[in-house]
Amino acid sequence: MKILLLDKNHPLITEQLLAKNFVLDEDFTSSYDEICQKIQNYDGVIIRSRIPLDKNFLEKGKNLKFIARVGAGMENIDIPVAEKLGIQLINSPEGNRDSVAEHVVGMLLILMNRLFIASQEVKNGIWLREENRGDELLGKTVGLIGYGNMGKATAKRLSGFGCKVVFHDILIGLADEYASQVSLDELKQSADILSLHIPLTPETHYLIDEKFISDMKKDFYFVNTARGKNVETKYLVEALRSGKVKGACLDVLEYEKSSFENLETENEDLKYLLESDKAIVTPHIAGWTHQSKEKLAQVIVDKIVASYC
């Protein structure tokens, strides 16, 4: 089988697939149009986020048997068209679930205990104790939306901090020793902390909007390591200003480019998030550890080999 690699990934992908007698080509620079002109020559493609695999692309890939994304989200692929054409879709959420879970916990600890703020103050000669009194995770109810690989890994960590973890998911029967499954209304009634672990779909686009925030019974902390466009930022900012949202931990932003490599928009809401001590913002790195880079690649290789060797 002939495979085209469109993004740089861990070298074990190339090493292990070559050892299994796959033929590999790399193209990390050609444009979308240039790739479309040659995609019919390949049986498979391995991607991250550089190029959208839309209807036009997929129909030109007349010989494609699979698309493998090194990561979890598949929103840059036209899934209905791929399925109609019989193209197998492979992703690797198992590879960075631990990284995402640790990032969630890390951001919450930093935000709720004012660690970054207090450290910067001391480094600038300011010694404030009462003003930097923290808020404990112990005893908090954490509401997760989505209970796949990322949600489960996050629940496992937070349950160890003495949190009560509840979750809502469109699938039923997912409860385990770390979290209880509840309705979305029940989650809104009980959660002190809300964390998103969902893909970006038409149903989850702007899931967190003005009404969702107002429906939350308690003032709450908000965490998003999923996709930026799951959240309508202007209403999150309004809630931070009013105190309804006590603090926000954001690894993803509505204003990111589709490749996740940079921001495509700057506005007053973004400026507020970047300047507010109520928000921690990181550059889409929750699933981006040294370990997850290798694990994501290994999961992809294992799934390709299992299907085509």
Side-chain angles (χ1 to χ4, degrees):
M1 294 184 72
K2 194 172 181 181
I3 302 173
L4 178 62
L5 285 71
L6 289 176
D7 297 272
K8 292 181 180 180
N9 285 295
H10 196 284
L12 73 79
I13 292 179
T14 301
E15 294 165 5
Q16 294 187 19
L17 290 179
L18 285 175
K20 293 290 185 179
N21 297 316
F22 290 90
V23 177
L24 306 182
D25 287 341
E26 297 178 347
D27 189 336
F28 305 146
T29 58
S30 292
S31 69
Y32 168 88
D33 290 334
E34 290 168 333
I35 298 296
C36 283
Q37 290 173 12
K38 65 180 181 179
I39 193 59
Q40 74 274 7
N41 300 322
Y42 295 93
D43 302 292
V45 59
I46 299 176
I47 63 166
R48 273 206 327 259
S49 305
R50 185 170 73 87
I51 287 179
L53 276 58
D54 56 12
K55 183 175 186 287
N56 175 62
F57 182 101
L58 297 173
E59 288 178 345
K60 289 183 182 299
K62 298 181 187 218
N63 296 304
L64 282 178
K65 296 177 179 63
F66 74 85
I67 296 165
R69 180 166 189 272
V70 184
M74 305 287 272
E75 69 270 12
N76 60 328
I77 303 167
D78 191 325
I79 294 174
V81 171
E83 291 175 343
K84 182 180 178 182
L85 294 172
I87 301 170
Q88 181 185 5
L89 299 178
I90 300 169
N91 65 343
S92 53
E94 306 91 338
N96 62 352
R97 60 190 173 193
D98 298 314
S99 171
V100 169
E102 289 190 14
H103 199 89
V104 170
V105 174
M107 287 198 296
L108 281 170
L109 290 173
I110 289 169
L111 182 74
M112 295 171 65
N113 291 283
R114 300 176 59 85
L115 299 181
F116 182 77
I117 296 166
S119 176
Q120 289 300 112
E121 287 176 349
V122 172
K123 289 180 179 181
N124 287 309
I126 302 167
W127 189 274
L128 298 175
R129 298 185 67 227
E130 184 59 36
E131 293 84 349
N132 285 309
R133 194 181 286 274
D135 193 9
E136 295 180 9
L137 278 170
L138 178 66
K140 296 286 193 298
T141 296
V142 180
L144 309 177
I145 301 183
Y147 206 62
N149 282 279
M150 312 303 175
K152 290 177 182 178
T154 301
K156 183 177 180 180
R157 269 76 175 177
L158 288 172
S159 64
F161 280 85
C163 295
K164 176 183 179 182
V165 185
V166 299
F167 69 89
H168 175 72
D169 197 286
I170 58 174
L171 302 177
I172 62 172
L174 300 180
D176 57 23
E177 62 188 298
Y178 303 114
S180 302
Q181 188 160 8
V182 299
S183 70
L184 190 54
D185 285 340
E186 289 177 274
L187 185 148
K188 290 176 180 178
Q189 287 294 307
S190 63
D192 301 293
I193 298 167
L194 176 67
S195 185
L196 301 187
H197 302 277
I198 49 179
L200 182 62
T201 67
E203 293 73 28
T204 64
H205 185 265
Y206 285 167
L207 175 67
I208 308 303
D209 58 8
E210 184 178 27
K211 184 177 187 308
F212 192 107
I213 293 170
S214 68
D215 285 347
M216 294 288 286
K217 181 179 179 181
K218 303 177 183 179
D219 296 345
F220 64 99
Y221 295 98
F222 178 68
V223 186
N224 190 11
T225 55
R227 288 293 184 262
K229 288 182 173 61
N230 293 138
V231 180
E232 199 162 3
T233 308
K234 63 181 179 180
Y235 296 118
L236 174 63
V237 169
E238 284 182 11
L240 284 165
R241 290 183 186 275
S242 72
K244 178 67 179 180
V245 173
K246 299 163 75 172
C249 303
L250 306 173
D251 182 55
V252 291
L253 292 165
E254 179 184 350
Y255 315 116
E256 286 179 76
K257 291 183 178 179
S258 59
S259 64
F260 309 136
E261 293 301 322
N262 213 323
L263 296 174
E264 61 182 2
T265 304
E266 293 186 15
N267 56 38
E268 288 303 309
D269 292 328
L270 176 61
K271 182 180 179 183
Y272 174 85
L273 292 174
L274 298 181
E275 294 178 354
S276 174
D277 62 7
K278 291 184 175 182
I280 292 177
V281 184
T282 53
H284 206 128
I285 57 169
W288 206 248
T289 61
H290 296 291
Q291 293 79 10
S292 71
K293 182 177 182 179
E294 180 172 352
K295 287 189 281 188
L296 285 165
Q298 190 63 62
V299 169
I300 286 295
V301 170
D302 292 345
K303 289 183 178 181
I304 292 171
V305 169
S307 294
Y308 299 101
C309 286

